Amino acid sequence: MTTRRPPWALAGVLAGLAGLATSYATAMVLTIRESPVVAVAEGVIELTPGPVAERAIALLGHFDKPVLVGGVLVLLLACFAWAGVLARRGWWRPILVWAVLAGIGLAAVLAQRGAGAVDTLPVAVGLVTWITLHSALTDALHRGVRRPELESHERRVFLMVAGVVAVASVGIAVAGRLVGAGRRHVEVSRRLLRIPGVTRREAPAATSLGLPGITPWQTPNEDFYRIDTTIALPTIEPDDWSLRIHGLVDRELVLSYTDLVRRQMTESWITLNCVSNEVGGNLIGNARWSGVRIADLLEGLGVSPRADCVLQTSHDGWTCATPLEVLTDDRDAMLAVAMNGHPLPIEHGFPVRTVVPGLYGYVSATKWVVDLEVSTFAESVGYWTTRGWSALGPVKIASRIDVPRSGEDVPVGPFSFGGVAWHQHTGIESVEVQVDGGEWTRAELAEVPSVDTWVQWAVTIDVPEGDHEVRVRATGKDGATQTSALARPDPDGATGWHTVEFSAG
Ligand SMILES: Nc1nc2c(c(=O)[nH]1)N[C@H]1C(S)=C(S)[C@@H](COP(=O)(O)O)O[C@H]1N2
Ligand SMILES: [Mo]
């Protein structure tokens, strides 16, 4: 019997490639723009001094990116082989290599614009694959080393496992790519979509006070906050979408996307906010929504007088119960198909979502909505309401200071404070500001097209040298002033006056 050297390096390379495959497939399925390897390559570009990068681009032309990704892959292969060889001298040594490589991947992924928790998942999946597969492969090799009489048997086991790992890795990568391509296809459909009756309109000039630092009145789609419980975004072709309206009605209605957009289109500016927003927080945005009023859809279906809510269900199984009243009164509660003149972004509910002025999102703003069941609150409980949040979620009046930022240094003398205030579907009557517990000064308000949006406020107050504290409070068009009593977001929305500390010098 000849003693051959166990293929330690091969075990490392195989486990390494398998980890890259699962991590790539995860990224594709989650429709994350790029795999961690590409993120690392981009990180390298980011860290490369300008002149060097320019010379490389001049030298390599359009191939700079593939060459860079290729370079990262070659380096990775070397590390995989090294991890494999290290396994000979102790099981924990290769784990250090896997952990460091995953750490670099994680740093690169998190450095990307708009990265969130989900983007770290491909790295985690890759790391788990590396560690588990590598230990499975090296176990066989170790047994062969310990028991030379079993060496050739263990080698066959190793080769079998190695073969399965190689084939499975290719399969997983290809499957991930195909699923991801399907998802990306929806993005193409979305871009090509032209919806009749959807207009693109600039925010009216009077909505802005022109004070630098105040949040823009209209929130661009890319900057709009995002809250949902999904990991993989639902991707629905408009042709595959339909909505069923049923429950306590005389006549059921099933609408296709074309049926929906053929109806009378309504467009309105509506501010949407999350019940989880803390005092001073930014889980709020204002957009021009285009869609079909839900009141128009329900009319003629013969809604039972017994009904008091509509249970909404999304494609991904999320639910909320919305009071029937707010869906049928004169406000523009709608099935929205466009946001700021563009088809809804996928992450904001493409192709159709609900928007209801005056309610927090968790009880009203169903993204990827596919089912509306007219029902009663006694029978229907939404996702967050079963988790301790209040069944009814009217937005509470609130105001926020955007200028100055917390801890900012401002010049002594007259200083212009500014921010936003909101009480959707009631409207803001006035906003007052108080410095260091002194008298309340009334702020100037911008103009707004309706009571359903937030409003910018600004006021100029003299500030002496030293440390200061500024507070804001709003009064609604119903005459009620915002309470100073602090309340946490759960169960039905935070209260309290936003306070910012700053110094003048
Ligand atoms: N399908 C679905 N729709 C949903 C949610 C969700 O988790 N899943 N979250 C809701 C919550 S809590 C809020 S605040 C709004 C946020 O909408 P946005 O992500 O477009 O800002 O969506 C609502 N609609
Ligand atoms: Mo929310």
Side-chain angles (χ1 to χ4, degrees):
M1 190 175 70
T2 55
T3 39
R4 288 171 291 184
R5 280 185 53 216
W8 296 108
L10 180 61
V13 168
L14 270 174
L17 288 177
L20 290 189
T22 53
S23 135
Y24 172 80
T26 310
M28 292 302 108
V29 169
L30 298 182
T31 51
I32 292 169
R33 275 168 304 152
E34 290 157 354
S35 74
V37 173
V38 176
V40 169
E42 296 208 320
V44 172
I45 297 177
E46 202 68 27
L47 296 176
T48 308
V52 178
E54 274 158 36
R55 188 143 350 127
I57 292 169
L59 207 65
L60 300 170
H62 285 313
F63 295 113
D64 58 332
K65 197 95 170 270
V67 166
L68 190 58
V69 173
V72 171
L73 281 174
V74 168
L75 268 180
L76 273 173
L77 283 179
C79 291
F80 296 162
W82 181 48
V85 172
L86 285 179
R88 198 166 38 145
R89 291 192 283 135
W91 61 269
W92 54 271
R93 286 168 195 261
I95 292 186
L96 286 186
V97 178
W98 302 130
V100 168
L101 291 179
I104 294 171
L106 193 66
V109 161
L110 289 178
Q112 304 225 302
R113 189 172 170 270
V118 170
D119 300 76
T120 65
L121 216 63
V123 178
V125 169
L127 179 62
V128 170
T129 312
W130 279 341
I131 293 175
T132 51
L133 273 186
H134 192 222
S135 77
L137 286 167
T138 49
D139 273 355
L141 297 181
H142 278 300
R143 282 196 300 271
V145 170
R146 276 197 308 270
R147 318 255 313 261
E149 72 280 11
L150 288 179
E151 201 265 350
S152 66
H153 167 71
E154 291 299 349
R155 184 172 289 254
R156 273 200 304 280
V157 171
F158 172 83
L159 287 177
M160 242 172 59
V161 175
V164 170
V165 166
V167 171
S169 302
V170 173
I172 285 175
V174 170
R177 166 125 209 129
L178 289 179
V179 173
R183 291 173 182 274
R184 262 174 281 273
H185 195 257
V186 174
E187 181 53 32
V188 174
S189 311
R190 176 187 169 263
R191 286 210 187 144
L192 296 177
L193 200 59
R194 295 288 173 273
I195 311 169
V198 171
T199 63
R200 236 166 258 177
R201 191 106 34 94
E202 304 258 307
T207 58
S208 172
L209 292 174
L211 179 65
I214 304 190
T215 311
W217 183 76
Q218 176 179 13
T219 313
N221 289 353
E222 336 41 285
D223 297 342
F224 210 95
Y225 81 97
R226 177 184 160 200
I227 299 277
D228 50 65
T229 56
T230 59
I231 297 183
L233 274 179
T235 40
I236 311 164
E237 292 284 350
D239 283 347
D240 297 336
W241 180 88
S242 70
L243 174 79
R244 180 168 169 235
I245 307 179
H246 62 115
L248 299 175
V249 287
D250 294 335
R251 278 200 312 121
E252 271 192 36
L253 182 63
V254 177
L255 281 169
S256 72
Y257 189 77
T258 331
D259 296 339
L260 182 72
V261 296
R262 275 207 196 114
R263 291 182 170 246
Q264 172 69 43
M265 198 62 70
T266 293
E267 301 194 294
S268 31
W269 296 97
I270 299 167
T271 298
L272 177 64
N273 60 323
C274 183
V275 67
S276 302
N277 202 28
E278 306 272 353
V279 172
N282 54 13
L283 298 179
I284 179 165
N286 182 48
R288 184 173 157 82
W289 305 92
S290 319
V292 175
R293 293 183 73 248
I294 295 174
D296 295 348
L297 286 170
L298 290 177
E299 206 184 78
L301 296 189
V303 172
S304 155
R306 200 162 72 75
D308 63 7
C309 80
V310 171
L311 181 69
Q312 308 189 46
T313 307
S314 70
H315 186 266
D316 58 318
W318 184 86
T319 57
C320 73
T322 312
L324 188 61
E325 194 190 334
V326 301
L327 298 176
T328 48
D329 66 12
D330 62 351
R331 77 187 75 192
D332 284 337
M334 63 166 92
L335 291 172
V337 292
M339 181 176 182
N340 289 324
H342 297 276
L344 290 178
I346 293 178
E347 64 270 30
H348 292 293
F350 184 78
V352 183
R353 77 168 307 166
T354 313
V355 181
V356 182
L359 296 196
Y360 289 120
Y362 83 107
V363 286
S364 67
T366 312
K367 304 193 272 190
W368 317 288
V369 64
V370 292
D371 191 285
L372 297 181
E373 181 184 359
V374 179
S375 181
T376 62
F377 275 107
E379 287 158 289
S380 297
V381 185
Y383 181 92
W384 285 115
T385 306
T386 57
R387 287 162 176 79
W389 295 77
S390 155
L392 298 180
V395 297
K396 295 180 178 174
I397 185 169
S399 51
R400 188 178 77 194
I401 299 164
D402 291 337
V403 189
R405 300 266 158 211
S406 171
E408 194 173 318
D409 287 319
V410 311
V412 171
F415 181 77
S416 293
F417 298 87
V420 283
W422 59 90
H423 194 188
Q424 294 93 306
H425 211 60
T426 298
I428 294 294
E429 178 65 30
S430 64
V431 169
E432 297 159 289
V433 169
Q434 180 197 56
V435 178
D436 299 332
E439 68 191 41
W440 288 95
T441 312
R442 202 165 162 152
E444 177 197 352
L445 296 185
E447 282 173 33
V448 281
S450 81
V451 292
D452 292 336
T453 74
W454 61 9
V455 56
Q456 290 194 351
W457 60 264
V459 62
T460 303
I461 299 173
D462 253 318
V463 286
E465 191 174 343
D467 294 338
H468 303 287
E469 189 181 76
V470 58
R471 291 203 274 205
V472 65
R473 71 178 186 198
T475 299
K477 286 201 190 292
D478 57 358
T481 296
Q482 204 183 321
T483 174
S484 65
L486 285 174
R488 305 194 315 179
D490 62 289
D492 61 359
T495 61
W497 294 336
H498 187 210
T499 305
V500 165
E501 283 167 17
F502 65 100
S503 34

